Amino acid sequence: MKNTISVHSSVREALALLENLDIQTLFVVDEEGRVKGTLTDGDIRRGMLGGKSLDEEVTTCMHREFRFVREDAVDAQALRDCRDKRIYILPVLDADGHLKDMIDLKKRKSVLPVDAVLMAGGRGERLRPLTENTPKPLLKVGGKAIIDHNIDHLEEYGVARAFVTVNYLAYKIIDHFEEREAHWQPGMTKVSCVKEPQFLGTIGALRFVEGLGDEVLVLNSDIYTQIDYEAFYLNFKKSGADMSIATIPYDVSIPYGIMDIRGGLVKGISEKPVFNYYANAGIYLLKKSALDLIPEGRSFDATDLVNALSAAGGKVVHFPIDGIWIDIGSFEEYQKACELAAR
């Protein structure tokens, strides 16, 4: 990796390397490739002020008490704490301290240890004729397919793998992601398509997704949102729930006085009341074990899974979305998403 330097290199050599790096951090490694410290231009300046010379070894200036991430144990809360403390560059180390990768929290918002599944098998009938020859997830919003907005948003949160379940006009979505795969680069979310053998409802196709990790993020592929996936995930972990449902605050205003009637008697009246509810946003975080409740061979919706999980004694919580969320299910909502994307 070009951001590494030997413990035996000089401070002068380190300065020369830093001049040509996009990420202004060096990882100082020993003869076995284990990271012993980090080094930035600021570390060198502080060393110079403390009397160090350019010809001394980098170990005299390096930062020894550095933050790092274990490759098999990414901690989203620890990453958030680092970002809050303006620590943006973190080495990813194996159990022996060898450098395997690095995380740049200026380029991505987090690294979430989840697999994502995007449900993209629907017919989009309310958007016909637009969806007669184009599956709804591939309709353009701001010059980009709806589903690509969702993939890019997952990428911002360091989601490494995503699966897309397809049915209607499946070959077009498969071709779309094969083209993306041809231009895949490290750091991008790797996308695989899974063919649904028949229409199995809004979540039934999860039965056919193989190799999922212990925690799964499921979302409809036709939503336009800027949900904070890190906050969603941390809330899910803190709650100890089996499933968390992202929700949208939804108010119902009644333009009349509503009677409180009990036993045939009027006990009071509420003038033009407003009732507050939470609507399902079509985004879920769940433990993989919850998928065992999905039956084989028949249609099964997300609402069915919520009810089955609750009936089985599972813990289901919700997470209100604060910000943009549009369900692109009608021409009006599609136009609203296009207008937002154009801003």
Side-chain angles (χ1 to χ4, degrees):
M1 186 177 291
K2 62 183 180 180
N3 283 70
T4 59
I5 190 169
S6 168
V7 290
H8 301 302
S9 297
S10 69
V11 175
R12 191 186 303 276
E13 290 173 301
L15 280 173
L17 274 176
L18 286 168
E19 281 187 9
N20 298 308
L21 292 177
D22 294 329
I23 298 176
Q24 296 288 296
T25 299
L26 288 171
F27 304 113
V28 183
V29 298
D30 64 13
E31 292 82 353
E32 285 74 39
R34 294 172 298 207
V35 178
K36 310 307 290 184
T38 59
L39 189 69
T40 66
D41 183 75
D43 294 324
I44 293 174
R45 285 199 305 272
R46 285 185 287 273
M48 296 297 99
L49 289 172
K52 306 300 181 185
S53 76
L54 292 176
D55 295 317
E56 293 187 54
E57 289 187 350
V58 291
T59 53
T60 62
C61 295
M62 73 180 186
H63 183 57
R64 297 175 186 271
E65 301 299 322
F66 59 93
R67 295 288 190 99
F68 63 89
V69 174
R70 290 292 183 198
E71 64 174 338
D72 56 350
V74 177
D75 185 335
Q77 183 61 60
L79 293 183
R80 169 170 277 197
D81 293 342
C82 285
R83 192 174 61 246
D84 290 344
K85 294 175 181 177
R86 298 186 179 181
I87 301 170
Y88 300 112
I89 307 299
L90 295 164
V92 180
L93 309 181
D94 66 13
D96 296 318
H98 298 104
L99 183 65
K100 309 302 291 186
D101 199 355
M102 64 178 167
I103 295 171
D104 183 352
L105 292 175
K106 287 185 177 180
K107 290 185 176 180
R108 60 176 53 173
K109 296 176 179 178
S110 190
V111 178
L112 300 181
V114 300
D115 286 328
V117 181
L118 294 89
M119 315 303 284
R123 297 181 179 276
E125 293 180 349
R126 288 183 293 164
L127 282 173
R128 289 182 178 273
L130 295 179
T131 53
E132 286 181 355
N133 297 302
T134 302
K136 183 165 63 167
L138 295 187
L139 292 178
K140 300 289 187 181
V141 170
K144 182 191 297 185
I146 297 168
I147 196 168
D148 286 343
H149 283 283
N150 285 303
I151 294 293
D152 289 349
H153 197 45
L154 292 171
E155 214 163 78
E156 289 180 351
Y157 287 90
V159 176
R161 298 195 306 170
F163 300 85
V164 179
T165 63
V166 296
N167 191 313
Y168 176 66
L169 296 175
Y171 73 95
K172 292 196 172 185
I173 298 177
I174 292 171
D175 288 348
H176 177 81
F177 284 109
E178 284 181 349
E179 174 65 20
R180 183 182 188 275
E181 180 68 14
H183 298 91
W184 185 88
Q185 296 178 5
M188 292 174 61
T189 298
K190 197 166 185 62
V191 181
S192 303
C193 290
V194 178
K195 183 71 168 65
E196 186 182 27
Q198 64 193 67
F199 286 106
L200 292 171
T202 58
I203 210 164
L206 276 174
R207 269 284 188 181
F208 296 91
V209 183
E210 298 180 351
L212 290 171
D214 293 335
E215 294 163 335
V216 186
L217 173 64
V218 182
L219 61 147
N220 297 337
S221 63
D222 55 359
I223 55 178
Y224 183 75
T225 181
Q226 292 299 314
I227 180 175
D228 184 339
Y229 281 124
E230 182 185 62
F232 186 26
Y233 176 77
L234 292 176
N235 179 265
F236 170 66
K237 295 295 287 184
K238 183 178 180 180
S239 71
D242 298 288
M243 182 177 191
S244 180
I245 307 167
T247 55
I248 296 296
Y250 189 80
D251 298 334
V252 177
S253 300
I254 299 180
Y256 310 106
I258 299 299
M259 301 290 183
D260 177 12
I261 299 176
R262 284 173 279 174
L265 300 175
V266 175
K267 297 295 184 179
I269 184 168
S270 300
E271 187 63 32
K272 300 179 180 179
V274 177
F275 296 96
N276 310 113
Y277 299 96
Y278 286 98
N280 182 1
I283 308 172
Y284 316 91
L285 260 171
L286 51 112
K287 293 180 180 177
K288 184 183 177 182
S289 56
L291 303 184
D292 294 338
L293 295 172
I294 300 176
E296 295 185 28
R298 68 178 178 86
S299 180
F300 199 73
D301 291 331
T303 50
D304 297 322
L305 180 58
V306 172
N307 293 333
L309 189 56
S310 295
K315 183 177 181 180
V316 181
V317 298
H318 83 107
F319 175 82
I321 294 177
D322 180 17
I324 295 171
W325 177 87
I326 299 174
D327 174 16
I328 303 177
S330 66
F331 284 102
E332 292 77 16
E333 296 301 288
Y334 179 46
Q335 183 62 36
K336 184 189 299 183
C338 290
E339 290 172 357
L340 276 173
R343 291 180 182 175

